[in-house]
Amino acid sequence: MMMLMMVSLFLTFFFLSHSPLFLNKHQLQRSPNMLGTEHDLNFKETELCLGLPGGSGGGGGAAAAGGGGGGKNEVESSPKTTGKRGYSETVDLKLNLQSKEGCMDLNQNLENGSKEKNHLTAKPPAKAQVLGWPPVRSYRKNIMANQKNNSDEISDRASSGSGGAAFVKVCMDGAPYLRKVDLKMYNSYQKLSDALAKMFSSFTMGSYGCEGMIDFMNESKLMDLLNSSDYVPTYEDKDGDWMLVGDVPWEMFVESCKRLRIMKGSEAIGLAPRAMEKCKSRV
Amino acid sequence: MAEQMSDDDERQQSPPSDLDFTSNKARTCIVTGSVSGHTEFQSLYPDQVLENVLENVLHFLTSRRDRNSASLVCKSWYRVEALTRSELFIGNCYAVSPARATARFTRVRALHLKGRPRFADFNLMPPDWGAHFNPWVLAFAKACPWLEKVYLKRMSVTDDDLATLAESFLGFKELVLVCCDGFGTSGLAIFISKCRQLKVLDLIESEVSDDETDWISCFPEGESHLESLIFDCVECPINFEALERLVARSPSLKKLRLNRYVSIGQLYRLMVQAPQLTHLGTGSFSPSEVAGQGDQEPDYVTTFAACKSLVCLSGFREIIPDYLPAIYPICANLTSLNFSYANITAEQLKPIISNCHKLQVFWVLDSICDEGLKAVAATCKELRELRVFPVDAREDSDGPVSEVGFQAISEGCRKLQSILYFCQRMTNAAVIAMSRNCPDLVVFRLCIMGRHRPDHVTGEPMDDGFGAIVMNCKKLTRLAVSGLLTDKAFDYIGRYGKLVRTLSVAFAGDSDMALKYVLEGCPQLQKLEIRDSPFGDAALCSGLHHYYNMRFLWMSSCRLTHQGCQQIARAMPRLVVEVIRSADEEEVYDRVQTLYMYRSLEGPRNDAPKFVTIL
């Protein structure tokens, strides 16, 4: 009798332990070695960090990336910002013009994602999404994401009375024609950056540099970037000034951006001091 | 929407057309078909009359399966069949070259080409892999100037290709692009302006870049022959006034699917001009922002009621549910309804679906929950195809639909033939129930979004559920599996899935045996796509006897090595074995990231990008 009870107890535990638990081994198996370590580091960062609220933070629920890389990463930033950006927050504007599909992007997205999650309520970090799973076409995912943005926009509109879609022209130095993007279709710089990269991928004449982030707090880094021949995105704001993209919180950018231009870093160098000024005056 | 049903629904049981050349080497040397159709031979042909009779008879043969069989009878039948084949279907654009195709089939009127493998849709492959339409359009432009119709799926088409198409084929009538990319509105503009006989322009789920060109205005003036205009995937604003004028002068227009930049007010204006429509895509189905408060709302209900022929409704891209009652008058006539972009609740759905007694095809979002599915099951007794898509396509999202809705559908819709169902929870019992309630199932695609998820009630793997499907659904030709699956599930598939032609596997199986069961057990298998499953070289070798009968095999993130794939490539010279890396990965690792292999008469292709290695 005792034996039967023991066996049944054992079986119960056995089945319980096989209940749906999400194992990370597949994810780790998937990423090639060159990213393996970085992948691990990110999760560790998530556990330890005590970042400031605000910036591009706030875990969202948006279904998917807007322009590029459909099913890659669903750990998104929401459009909400609470004013000042934390000093530790930087805006990642890596215009990954060469390999949009590369694991690099997944890594970057994870990094952003985990930074956002760290200071929220003590939930376990959201499971990093696997590339191309569930098998819903990017086309459909994008539409659902846009709908969500639009409904946010509609409720925003009801309260703030702002205009409809925010179409701006985008041109890239050297590309034969220009495009238009609806800034309201995106809710973060990362999404915009992905979309731009995708749009102009056939005209890549230089790279954005593997470390490329416009860190407005780090003057020397900024200067290095602007001295290179890598491409940086710039925009013309309401005042008619040309600024480097990424210096203000996303919403402010959408409101004030009139058009976008992707130019070589070396050409954008004249914008830097102004960018720093405006930045400091806002901060 | 019927166009979008997979070709597995067609009757295609015989060896496909793209490779029946190999069965008799002698044939390929003999035919020298010329444009005029008069074949010249050195030796005297005994009975020209007989051949003419044959030609007249074979004209009536439309099924490509029957044509393939006919072409194998003897040389003369082969020849005549080639001359009388007007619709050419090529399931893999790399299986045969444009030159070979145009040499054999000289009087083709319609060309149907498929390019990229389906898993490319899920970003499992870097872009620019291939499948270019360009060599095809150039070859056909020279050899088959009477081409009237082109249907492409998952191919890259450039603006130049569109221009060539319009310029080279004077009587060109129909262009259908499904899941294609590479072109923009400027290409469309050129195409439209030069195609004077255009009847059909269908852009379905394709990526169209916005070149800021007003392509709608490019339709030639005067009465148009247009019968179908589908552009719901074009993500840029259009010139509405030009569209309105176009619709007004297109008396034959039956199918119109608008993009989301068309407001409901504009939709109204178009419908007033075209009450003869049978297929309508409603665009955004919400008002534009410029509508003032004081403006009177048009009478949508009457307008919809006036469209007595409307049988297929889709769109609702940015739906404001308040406007849904407008479609009540036509619900009773609908055979096809696509709500898959409309985030509506069960309550919003019920008044509509309760009138849709004739509905055969229904696409919807899981926002309607199990309750909404029950409502569908209660009314739609004629339902043949159901697709339930997730609003939130993530593994760990909430699942508003489950086995409850699934089972309800199986009980209410006994004639179901095709199902695609995304959910977070499922039970074997519900799947078994469907296998018994719906014996006519031809396509069964269940996607339990959490990887390796078992039956959420019993904790068991989903083997028995899928096993029941292959056992009880004797007509099954397409299967997609998910959830926690052991080798046993594949044993079932190999044993009972004798008609299965397409199989999709992800995160399933325990060992090589699973793949062996399938490769050894499914004689009709043509398309096998596998990702993230523990199958290695040994399993791959077990299919050597079958690979020439298949259109393709896709295996990504499995356990294949270069040596294993190399072995296959050596053993099977007519197989193109592509090893695909992700774009920035170097060729260092022995493990193969993605294997894509397919039979071909042409050997390795010459347009492979650098991330593809052909063994």
Side-chain angles (χ1 to χ4, degrees):
Chain A
M1 266 310 255
M2 277 297 282
M3 277 298 287
L4 278 173
M5 275 183 61
M6 294 286 288
V7 170
S8 62
L9 271 174
F10 170 75
L11 284 174
T12 319
F13 281 125
F14 181 78
F15 280 120
L16 278 177
S17 70
H18 277 71
S19 63
L21 286 175
F22 301 122
L23 306 169
N24 280 334
K25 70 174 178 171
H26 281 276
Q27 294 152 34
L28 292 177
Q29 248 179 24
R30 273 189 61 76
S31 41
N33 292 342
M34 68 179 179
L35 282 191
T37 43
E38 290 175 67
H39 194 104
D40 286 337
L41 269 178
N42 282 335
F43 282 132
K44 287 196 183 126
E45 262 189 72
T46 309
E47 288 161 18
L48 297 175
C49 195
L50 296 170
L52 290 172
S56 52
K72 270 206 299 265
N73 181 41
E74 270 65 25
V75 181
E76 299 299 1
S77 48
S78 81
K80 305 269 177 285
T81 33
T82 54
K84 283 191 193 181
R85 289 174 50 221
Y87 279 63
S88 58
E89 302 277 344
T90 54
V91 177
D92 172 14
L93 279 182
K94 186 167 157 234
L95 273 183
N96 202 347
L97 290 170
Q98 275 163 353
S99 81
K100 306 159 289 296
E101 291 298 327
C103 299
M104 293 285 222
D105 272 353
L106 178 65
N107 192 41
Q108 290 295 345
N109 286 341
L110 276 175
E111 206 168 275
N112 287 341
S114 37
K115 281 203 186 109
E116 296 144 20
K117 292 269 175 203
N118 55 33
H119 53 265
L120 294 177
T121 57
K123 272 193 298 185
K127 187 175 174 195
Q129 302 292 319
V130 170
L131 181 65
W133 187 263
V136 175
R137 297 192 59 228
S138 325
Y139 172 74
R140 178 172 286 283
K141 277 184 180 163
N142 290 347
I143 291 179
M144 299 318 298
N146 291 342
Q147 280 192 3
K148 183 173 192 301
N149 291 345
N150 285 342
S151 63
D152 288 345
E153 172 201 325
I154 285 170
S155 48
D156 283 348
R157 212 184 302 150
S159 46
S160 69
S162 63
F167 274 100
V168 297
K169 294 192 181 175
V170 187
C171 61
M172 174 165 161
D173 291 3
Y177 49 75
L178 53 78
R179 294 281 165 85
K180 282 202 320 205
V181 287
D182 176 3
L183 293 179
K184 299 249 167 129
M185 271 175 55
Y186 310 100
N187 56 21
S188 70
Y189 283 114
Q190 183 59 55
K191 292 239 196 78
L192 175 65
S193 155
D194 289 345
L196 291 177
K198 195 163 191 242
M199 254 184 237
F200 290 103
S201 59
S202 37
F203 305 111
T204 307
M205 279 170 284
S207 68
Y208 194 84
C210 15
E211 305 305 315
M213 286 200 283
I214 298 188
D215 184 347
F216 285 91
M217 299 307 149
N218 186 336
E219 278 201 56
S220 61
K221 249 194 184 176
L222 186 59
M223 283 314 172
D224 281 346
L225 179 64
L226 297 179
N227 279 324
S228 68
S229 63
D230 294 341
Y231 284 89
V232 300
T234 65
Y235 72 104
E236 185 183 356
D237 73 2
K238 278 192 180 140
D239 308 334
D241 296 328
W242 283 90
M243 318 278 296
L244 289 174
V245 170
D247 58 343
V248 298
W250 175 255
E251 271 67 38
M252 229 186 272
F253 168 69
V254 174
E255 292 301 308
S256 60
C257 172
K258 277 188 2 201
R259 68 165 93 184
L260 284 163
R261 182 173 154 205
I262 304 173
M263 60 174 81
K264 289 212 164 122
S266 42
E267 285 184 39
I269 198 153
L271 305 177
R274 238 181 305 152
M276 300 301 271
E277 255 178 54
K278 271 207 171 174
C279 203
K280 284 171 187 156
S281 71
R282 284 189 184 127
V283 165
Chain B
M1 221 155 53
E3 307 89 70
Q4 291 185 56
M5 285 174 79
S6 90
D7 65 328
D8 296 277
D9 303 305
E10 295 168 23
R11 339 160 289 289
Q12 193 214 348
Q13 305 278 344
S14 73
S17 67
D18 42 323
L19 213 61
D20 49 7
F21 309 75
T22 50
S23 44
N24 189 338
K25 291 186 288 229
R27 282 191 208 137
T28 50
C29 318
I30 291 177
V31 177
T32 53
S34 68
V35 164
S36 66
H38 237 3
T39 37
E40 314 281 318
F41 296 101
Q42 261 120 33
S43 53
L44 280 169
Y45 198 60
D47 200 348
Q48 204 69 32
V49 173
L50 181 63
E51 195 156 290
N52 289 343
V53 167
L54 198 57
E55 192 172 323
N56 284 317
V57 169
L58 285 184
H59 266 301
F60 291 100
L61 217 55
T62 45
S63 143
R64 62 177 193 263
R65 156 204 183 181
D66 293 343
R67 284 194 156 269
N68 294 343
S69 308
S71 70
L72 295 173
V73 168
C74 65
K75 291 178 205 167
S76 131
W77 280 57
Y78 176 89
R79 233 177 357 252
V80 176
E81 191 284 312
L83 289 174
T84 56
R85 190 180 296 224
S86 61
E87 246 189 74
L88 181 59
F89 172 87
I90 295 174
N92 175 359
C93 63
Y94 287 119
V96 62
S97 71
R100 196 185 291 260
T102 53
R104 178 174 170 188
F105 300 108
T106 53
R107 295 188 189 167
V108 167
R109 299 280 163 145
L111 174 64
H112 184 140
L113 273 179
K114 293 192 177 182
R116 285 183 287 275
R118 197 178 73 95
F119 272 11
D121 291 352
F122 312 122
N123 303 331
L124 291 184
M125 193 158 80
D128 308 319
W129 169 81
H132 303 288
F133 182 49
N134 183 260
W136 292 91
V137 71
L138 294 177
F140 273 80
K142 268 191 278 181
C144 299
W146 297 287
L147 193 65
E148 291 177 353
K149 173 178 173 184
V150 166
Y151 177 108
L152 303 178
K153 187 166 185 182
R154 292 197 187 93
M155 296 211 48
S156 288
V157 183
T158 63
D159 291 338
D160 286 337
D161 295 336
L162 290 175
T164 310
L165 205 54
E167 285 159 7
S168 312
F169 305 103
L170 296 175
F172 199 79
K173 297 198 171 70
E174 296 185 27
L175 180 63
V176 179
L177 300 177
V178 180
C179 304
C180 294
D181 62 9
F183 63 101
T185 49
S186 48
L188 283 180
I190 302 174
F191 176 76
I192 288 168
S193 60
K194 300 200 174 186
C195 245
R196 307 248 132 201
Q197 308 292 326
L198 195 63
K199 284 190 181 166
V200 171
L201 177 59
D202 292 349
L203 305 170
I204 297 168
E205 289 191 32
S206 293
E207 217 177 290
V208 183
S209 69
D210 179 6
D211 304 331
E212 297 206 347
T213 318
D214 179 7
W215 56 280
I216 293 276
S217 299
C218 294
F219 281 95
E221 285 303 323
E223 186 168 296
S224 120
H225 307 278
L226 212 56
E227 293 173 11
S228 172
L229 179 62
I230 295 177
F231 63 96
D232 47 5
C233 62
V234 178
E235 290 289 305
C236 46
I238 48 142
N239 179 341
F240 178 73
E241 281 68 33
L243 178 62
E244 198 176 7
R245 285 195 299 274
L246 175 65
V247 171
R249 66 178 194 275
S250 304
S252 312
L253 193 67
K254 292 281 191 295
K255 301 186 187 180
L256 180 64
R257 292 193 353 208
L258 308 164
N259 70 6
R260 65 182 178 92
Y261 290 89
V262 178
S263 68
I264 193 168
Q266 291 171 330
L267 170 68
Y268 169 82
R269 282 159 64 179
L270 293 174
M271 288 178 72
V272 164
Q273 302 275 13
Q276 77 282 6
L277 287 174
T278 57
H279 293 58
L280 177 65
T282 63
S284 65
F285 212 71
S286 57
S288 64
E289 296 94 40
V290 295
Q293 287 286 42
D295 291 355
Q296 198 185 0
E297 287 276 35
D299 187 358
Y300 296 115
V301 178
T302 311
T303 312
F304 268 94
C307 294
K308 302 209 186 298
S309 317
L310 213 50
V311 290
C312 174
L313 199 58
S314 61
F316 309 103
R317 292 295 170 112
E318 286 160 9
I319 190 172
I320 303 278
D322 304 358
Y323 289 98
L324 270 177
I327 71 171
Y328 288 170
I330 46 134
C331 289
N333 297 334
L334 285 181
T335 55
S336 171
L337 178 57
N338 182 350
F339 269 154
S340 67
Y341 297 106
N343 194 336
I344 54 173
T345 63
E347 286 316 304
Q348 290 162 340
L349 176 70
K350 279 182 193 171
I352 297 178
I353 209 73
S354 56
N355 290 322
C356 294
H357 298 101
K358 289 195 195 163
L359 206 61
Q360 293 184 17
V361 177
F362 186 47
W363 292 20
V364 72
L365 284 173
D366 61 4
S367 57
I368 62 167
C369 304
D370 288 329
E371 198 190 332
L373 289 172
K374 285 185 193 167
V376 174
T379 319
C380 303
K381 301 299 176 190
E382 298 297 316
L383 201 66
R384 302 285 193 270
E385 177 179 329
L386 174 68
R387 296 198 193 190
V388 180
F389 294 96
V391 168
D392 188 358
R394 289 178 305 158
E395 273 190 84
D396 43 6
S397 60
D398 296 328
V401 297
S402 68
E403 75 279 1
V404 173
F406 190 82
Q407 184 143 356
I409 290 286
S410 78
E411 285 161 9
C413 308
R414 298 299 175 109
K415 299 189 188 177
L416 202 63
Q417 291 173 3
S418 169
I419 184 163
L420 169 62
Y421 196 86
F422 282 86
C423 59
Q424 295 285 9
R425 311 186 295 292
M426 187 49 60
T427 61
N428 281 308
V431 179
I432 293 171
M434 180 165 285
S435 77
R436 296 213 179 105
N437 293 332
C438 305
D440 292 340
L441 277 175
V442 174
V443 174
F444 185 83
R445 299 158 70 190
L446 176 61
C447 182
I448 303 169
M449 291 195 273
R451 291 169 285 154
H452 309 112
R453 218 169 265 184
D455 178 325
H456 81 97
V457 165
T458 66
E460 299 274 296
M462 293 299 299
D463 298 338
D464 290 339
F466 286 102
I469 291 286
V470 284
M471 259 190 267
N472 299 333
C473 301
K474 314 256 191 276
K475 305 180 191 175
L476 196 76
T477 58
R478 181 169 181 182
L479 181 64
V481 300
S482 61
L484 180 65
L485 293 170
T486 69
D487 290 348
K488 195 162 100 159
F490 297 91
D491 186 12
Y492 286 137
I493 296 173
R495 232 185 291 172
Y496 300 104
K498 294 304 177 187
L499 296 184
V500 170
R501 292 202 302 260
T502 307
L503 180 63
S504 303
V505 178
F507 304 102
D510 299 324
S511 74
D512 283 351
M513 285 312 296
L515 184 53
K516 275 193 188 161
Y517 289 138
V518 169
L519 288 171
E520 287 167 3
C522 300
Q524 297 293 326
L525 194 63
Q526 284 176 27
K527 299 184 260 188
L528 182 55
E529 38 190 37
I530 303 174
R531 63 168 293 184
D532 294 273
S533 300
F535 308 143
D537 300 334
L540 196 62
C541 286
S542 64
L544 285 171
H545 65 285
H546 190 61
Y547 292 138
Y548 280 155
N549 295 332
M550 288 177 65
R551 191 181 293 172
F552 70 80
L553 169 68
W554 167 290
M555 285 178 70
S556 59
S557 304
C558 297
R559 297 202 182 147
L560 302 173
T561 67
H562 273 97
Q563 292 92 294
C565 297
Q566 193 69 265
Q567 256 188 301
I568 305 286
R570 270 189 233 115
M572 311 197 75
R574 294 289 205 183
L575 217 56
V576 173
V577 179
E578 294 194 13
V579 170
I580 305 172
R581 306 183 283 286
S582 45
D584 50 4
E585 194 186 323
E586 284 157 29
E587 223 184 309
V588 176
Y589 309 104
D590 188 43
R591 187 66 67 89
V592 160
Q593 169 67 23
T594 300
L595 165 72
Y596 178 56
M597 68 188 200
Y598 49 89
R599 63 187 174 188
S600 171
L601 290 175
E602 313 301 339
R605 56 190 175 108
N606 53 14
D607 62 357
K610 47 185 166 65
F611 54 82
V612 170
T613 312
I614 301 183
L615 298 178

